[in-house]
Amino acid sequence: MNQRKVSIKEIAELSGVSVATVSRVINNNGRFSEETRKKVLQVIKDTHYETNNIAKSLRMKKSNTIGILVPDISNSFFANVVQEIESILFKKGYSTIICNTDRNEEKEEAYLRMLEGKMIDGLIVISGVKEFGSTAINKKTPLICIDRKPKDTKSTILIESDHYQGGFLATEELISKGCHNIAIIIHRDFLSSSKERLLGYQNALKKYQIPFKEENVIHVTVEEKMSRTEAAKAALLQKISEGYQFDGVFALNDRLAIGAIHAILDLGKKVPEDIKVVGFDNDPISKYCYPCLTTIRQDNMLIAEQACENLLALIDGTRKDMKKHQVIPVTLVSRAST
Amino acid sequence: MNQRKVSIKEIAELSGVSVATVSRVINNNGRFSEETRKKVLQVIKDTHYETNNIAKSLRMKKSNTIGILVPDISNSFFANVVQEIESILFKKGYSTIICNTDRNEEKEEAYLRMLEGKMIDGLIVISGVKEFGSTAINKKTPLICIDRKPKDTKSTILIESDHYQGGFLATEELISKGCHNIAIIIHRDFLSSSKERLLGYQNALKKYQIPFKEENVIHVTVEEKMSRTEAAKAALLQKISEGYQFDGVFALNDRLAIGAIHAILDLGKKVPEDIKVVGFDNDPISKYCYPCLTTIRQDNMLIAEQACENLLALIDGTRKDMKKHQVIPVTLVSRAST
């Protein structure tokens, strides 16, 4: 394998196009014919040319790479949003570097430093911590936050679902089906999204003149090596064993909701006849669990589109008038559990 | 915001440690005290030092970054393996760059070129194409394949589940519960893993002297905007409408299996009384669908551990005697569907 290093100039000569065109093909940013693309890529293949983005980005000051921090890729909402973003950005000529931060602040910082070093053109953050605001990233790097509030709400764009509306719709669904004593199951109560969902719950109760009771708020702590479903089930069973009574459950995500259903079924009660349940997220699991779960659907596609559109506008400097807080409506998906 | 650029040398002076120590702290590769780490990180914070990995990797020839290609992060098996790998590598001082390739060969190539440009120290590939073998990556870059066969089986390490054993166990479970006419539902029949699972099915039939019938092999094509569950359901309903009869189903993944269950329930038949079903993957959904699904569990943790161990040995050059094909045992998880 004689891997002689060839230069971008040689690639250009061999392909019969300019150096700039070769660079555009490598970075996949649009203005060249399909024929040119094929020709250049063939020469690259034939010559084992190694795209040295590093030297290139030092020269061109643009890496055509976007970094994205995600707290947990096994969460279907995050995974779908990230996939959608990757797909949109790829069509626009950008590669997406996905970093899984495990909801761990130290990891978030380490990955931000890594991304900063890789000379990304922009950054999308779904933070796992209370309020995102790191000094590890250059303040000039274009940045969009999704779902999790940034510290600096004045200059950072936040795109998120209307969590308040979601909480309101979920609770209203339970009330309209006859529930009067509705438990709310909360995990990660420090998140702004959780707070908004709780507020929606409280205001729906108020609208229907049902008093809010502190005892209906069930906080779930998920221990290591325990699923959210198991943790919610255990917390609800514990509460019931202390004499707690209720006729509806609004769980702040679908995994917690399924845990609640399992606790209820285990006690020989029926869903939805005895107790009705609503989740949040429209996780694929909500469609196939038994009984199928009524839930709140977040518009992953629109969140991804808006995040990309805003980020690319920041990078290109074409627009500066974007709203700092962009709220995407949610919808109720009514199924067998209510 | 006076963001004067400080050098690593200044950081070292301000922290009272050597340049090498600062570098070790930044790269998080182990040999420094917690006290030193805190001191250096504080100085970095205070001075807004930007870790310029690019200049650094040009100098040091090591980026402490590992790239990983994954065909679909919304697939729970892939997501779990990738999370586990990230977690192990981070503890060893490496950052993981995750690239979602969408099972798209062109994207795979583009991301490999990007990773090559970012000077990764090693690469883990779960390919979405038939046989992984790209010229976009330098042949000297340490490489491990997971789950999907590389073209070059002589020099590339492949770590995968024992798909043959999985197919055998799943089929044997159905036979032991009284099935004689077992459908096998296959999606992506070009994958080596699918072929092995089919072979396990065939050999289990042979062991129990049940003839293999071509008509029992159901191929599912998933159209765009259709889930695997919907596609499997439609394919099975179509086949049944043509007069097809069967008493068991082995589906090559859990999403397909749930589609089969839905088709069977839709026709007014019962699972497992009339028809028994086994899936593959132990997707979280298999635990919560109705009835709960008997499935084959892959050992994600061990696959991740072995991939990292092998990759780091290749990078460090400490071992060269690793087996090229490493097969991880699977287990049957027996639930209500059989």
Side-chain angles (χ1 to χ4, degrees):
Chain A
M1 295 295 112
N2 179 11
Q3 286 219 15
R4 182 181 70 87
K5 294 236 181 189
V6 296
S7 71
I8 193 167
K9 215 176 139 199
E10 287 172 273
I11 299 286
E13 277 165 17
L14 288 165
S15 317
V17 300
S18 70
V19 167
T21 301
V22 173
S23 162
R24 279 203 296 277
V25 170
I26 290 170
N27 289 307
N28 191 23
N29 64 6
R31 274 173 286 157
F32 47 84
S33 71
E34 181 58 15
E35 197 194 330
T36 303
R37 195 182 69 88
K38 280 196 180 146
K39 204 162 49 187
V40 172
L41 291 183
Q42 194 54 51
V43 172
I44 287 173
K45 263 196 175 170
D46 295 347
T47 55
H48 297 282
Y49 171 70
E50 296 161 31
T51 320
N52 192 333
N53 282 330
I54 290 185
K56 189 156 52 73
S57 59
L58 285 174
R59 236 177 16 245
M60 314 200 333
K61 294 276 185 201
K62 195 150 194 261
S63 68
N64 279 80
T65 332
I66 304 291
I68 176 160
L69 295 193
V70 53
D72 175 9
I73 51 166
S74 71
N75 171 307
S76 73
F77 167 67
F78 296 144
N80 286 332
V81 169
V82 168
Q83 276 189 315
E84 206 53 54
I85 287 173
E86 190 282 328
S87 173
I88 296 168
L89 290 177
F90 193 81
K91 285 181 198 136
K92 301 277 185 187
Y94 287 87
S95 294
T96 303
I97 293 181
I98 305 167
C99 301
N100 188 68
T101 60
D102 233 0
R103 308 183 194 276
N104 174 326
E105 191 159 2
E106 199 193 344
K107 259 190 199 182
E108 245 179 47
E109 291 285 311
Y111 277 113
L112 287 170
R113 279 197 301 275
M114 185 272 281
L115 290 170
E116 185 70 23
K118 301 288 186 207
M119 294 207 146
I120 49 165
D121 294 337
L123 178 66
I124 295 177
V125 171
I126 314 176
S127 175
V129 304
K130 198 173 170 179
E131 287 186 324
F132 176 76
S134 174
T135 53
I137 199 87
N138 186 327
K139 279 197 203 285
K140 284 179 192 150
T141 304
L143 165 71
I144 304 286
C145 285
I146 292 179
D147 198 49
R148 306 295 166 82
K149 217 171 168 167
K151 242 180 218 148
D152 175 7
T153 50
K154 269 191 205 147
S155 61
T156 309
I157 295 174
L158 166 65
I159 298 172
E160 62 175 345
S161 287
D162 192 338
H163 299 290
Y164 171 85
Q165 182 202 16
F168 194 95
L169 287 174
T171 311
E172 196 168 41
E173 163 78 0
L174 289 165
I175 296 170
S176 77
K177 296 286 170 74
C179 300
H180 286 91
N181 209 4
I182 302 170
I184 176 166
I185 301 185
I186 303 181
H187 172 39
R188 305 188 192 281
D189 54 356
F190 60 82
L191 293 175
S192 52
S193 54
S194 297
K195 284 180 193 151
E196 287 292 311
R197 292 174 193 184
L198 173 61
L199 198 61
Y201 161 87
Q202 289 171 318
N203 279 0
L205 292 179
K206 198 183 276 175
K207 180 179 169 191
Y208 294 94
Q209 287 147 341
I210 299 172
F212 166 72
K213 288 184 286 185
E214 200 58 64
E215 68 151 4
N216 278 331
V217 183
I218 302 174
H219 293 278
V220 173
T221 312
V222 181
E223 312 285 346
E224 189 133 6
K225 298 286 163 205
M226 194 186 210
S227 72
R228 283 166 291 172
T229 302
E230 289 159 350
K233 181 179 172 181
L236 192 55
L237 284 175
Q238 170 64 27
K239 186 113 175 172
I240 292 168
S241 77
E242 293 163 5
Y244 177 62
Q245 302 230 331
F246 60 108
D247 56 12
V249 176
F250 167 40
L252 292 207
N253 75 55
D254 290 341
R255 301 295 175 109
L256 298 174
I258 288 169
I261 289 179
H262 283 234
I264 295 162
L265 297 179
D266 262 27
L267 292 169
K269 303 221 177 204
K270 285 182 182 160
V271 177
E273 292 82 351
D274 301 321
I275 297 170
K276 300 178 205 319
V277 181
V278 179
F280 208 110
D281 275 353
N282 198 30
D283 190 306
I285 229 169
S286 66
K287 202 170 165 185
Y288 302 118
C289 65
Y290 179 79
C292 300
L293 186 65
T294 296
T295 188
I296 300 294
R297 192 182 84 89
Q298 303 193 58
D299 194 340
N300 307 348
M301 194 83 96
L302 192 57
I303 290 173
E305 278 170 13
Q306 214 148 307
C308 294
E309 201 185 299
N310 277 274
L311 185 65
L312 296 179
L314 286 179
I315 292 170
D316 298 342
T318 46
R319 280 178 58 194
K320 295 198 183 238
D321 59 336
M322 289 91 93
K323 268 179 70 179
K324 291 295 175 277
H325 188 195
Q326 303 177 18
V327 178
I328 313 289
V330 297
T331 45
L332 179 82
V333 181
S334 194
R335 297 203 186 99
S337 69
T338 53
Chain B
M1 297 296 113
N2 180 12
Q3 287 219 10
R4 183 180 71 88
K5 295 235 183 191
V6 294
S7 72
I8 194 167
K9 215 176 138 201
E10 286 173 275
I11 299 286
E13 278 166 15
L14 288 165
S15 315
V17 300
S18 70
V19 167
T21 302
V22 173
S23 162
R24 279 204 298 276
V25 170
I26 289 170
N27 289 308
N28 190 24
N29 64 4
R31 274 172 288 155
F32 47 84
S33 70
E34 181 56 16
E35 196 194 330
T36 302
R37 196 183 70 88
K38 280 195 179 149
K39 204 162 52 185
V40 172
L41 291 182
Q42 192 55 50
V43 172
I44 287 173
K45 261 196 175 170
D46 294 346
T47 55
H48 298 281
Y49 170 70
E50 295 160 32
T51 319
N52 191 333
N53 282 329
I54 290 186
K56 191 156 51 75
S57 58
L58 286 173
R59 231 173 24 243
M60 313 198 335
K61 294 274 184 204
K62 192 146 196 261
S63 68
N64 279 81
T65 333
I66 304 291
I68 176 160
L69 295 193
V70 53
D72 175 8
I73 51 165
S74 72
N75 171 307
S76 73
F77 167 67
F78 296 144
N80 286 332
V81 169
V82 168
Q83 275 189 317
E84 206 53 53
I85 287 173
E86 189 282 326
S87 174
I88 296 168
L89 291 177
F90 193 80
K91 284 182 199 135
K92 301 277 187 187
Y94 287 87
S95 295
T96 303
I97 293 182
I98 305 167
C99 301
N100 188 68
T101 61
D102 233 0
R103 307 184 194 276
N104 174 326
E105 193 160 0
E106 198 193 343
K107 258 190 202 184
E108 245 179 47
E109 290 285 313
Y111 277 112
L112 286 170
R113 280 198 299 277
M114 185 271 280
L115 289 171
E116 185 70 22
K118 300 290 186 206
M119 295 208 147
I120 49 164
D121 294 336
L123 177 66
I124 295 176
V125 171
I126 313 176
S127 175
V129 304
K130 198 172 169 178
E131 285 185 326
F132 176 76
S134 174
T135 52
I137 199 86
N138 186 327
K139 280 199 202 286
K140 284 180 195 150
T141 304
L143 163 71
I144 303 286
C145 285
I146 293 180
D147 199 49
R148 306 296 166 83
K149 219 172 167 166
K151 241 180 219 149
D152 176 6
T153 49
K154 268 190 209 148
S155 61
T156 308
I157 295 175
L158 165 64
I159 298 171
E160 62 175 344
S161 286
D162 192 338
H163 300 291
Y164 171 84
Q165 181 202 16
F168 194 96
L169 287 176
T171 311
E172 195 168 42
E173 163 77 1
L174 290 164
I175 296 170
S176 76
K177 295 288 170 73
C179 300
H180 287 89
N181 208 4
I182 302 170
I184 177 166
I185 302 185
I186 302 181
H187 171 40
R188 305 186 193 283
D189 54 356
F190 60 81
L191 292 177
S192 53
S193 54
S194 297
K195 285 179 193 153
E196 287 292 311
R197 291 175 194 185
L198 173 60
L199 197 62
Y201 160 87
Q202 289 171 318
N203 279 0
L205 292 180
K206 197 182 278 175
K207 180 179 169 190
Y208 294 94
Q209 288 148 340
I210 299 172
F212 167 71
K213 289 185 287 186
E214 200 58 65
E215 67 151 5
N216 278 332
V217 182
I218 302 174
H219 292 278
V220 173
T221 311
V222 181
E223 313 281 348
E224 189 134 7
K225 299 285 161 207
M226 194 186 211
S227 72
R228 281 166 292 171
T229 302
E230 288 159 352
K233 181 180 172 181
L236 192 55
L237 284 175
Q238 170 63 28
K239 185 115 177 173
I240 293 169
S241 77
E242 294 162 6
Y244 177 62
Q245 301 229 330
F246 59 109
D247 56 12
V249 177
F250 167 39
L252 293 207
N253 74 54
D254 290 340
R255 300 295 174 110
L256 299 173
I258 289 170
I261 290 180
H262 283 234
I264 296 162
L265 297 179
D266 263 27
L267 292 169
K269 303 218 177 207
K270 284 182 182 161
V271 177
E273 291 82 352
D274 302 321
I275 297 169
K276 301 180 205 317
V277 181
V278 179
F280 208 111
D281 274 354
N282 198 29
D283 190 307
I285 228 167
S286 66
K287 200 170 165 184
Y288 302 118
C289 65
Y290 180 79
C292 300
L293 185 64
T294 295
T295 188
I296 301 295
R297 193 181 83 88
Q298 303 193 58
D299 194 340
N300 307 347
M301 194 83 95
L302 191 57
I303 291 173
E305 277 170 13
Q306 213 147 307
C308 294
E309 202 183 298
N310 278 274
L311 185 65
L312 296 180
L314 286 178
I315 292 171
D316 297 343
T318 46
R319 281 178 55 195
K320 298 204 176 224
D321 59 336
M322 290 90 93
K323 268 180 70 180
K324 290 296 176 274
H325 188 196
Q326 303 178 17
V327 177
I328 313 288
V330 298
T331 44
L332 178 84
V333 181
S334 193
R335 297 203 185 100
S337 69
T338 54

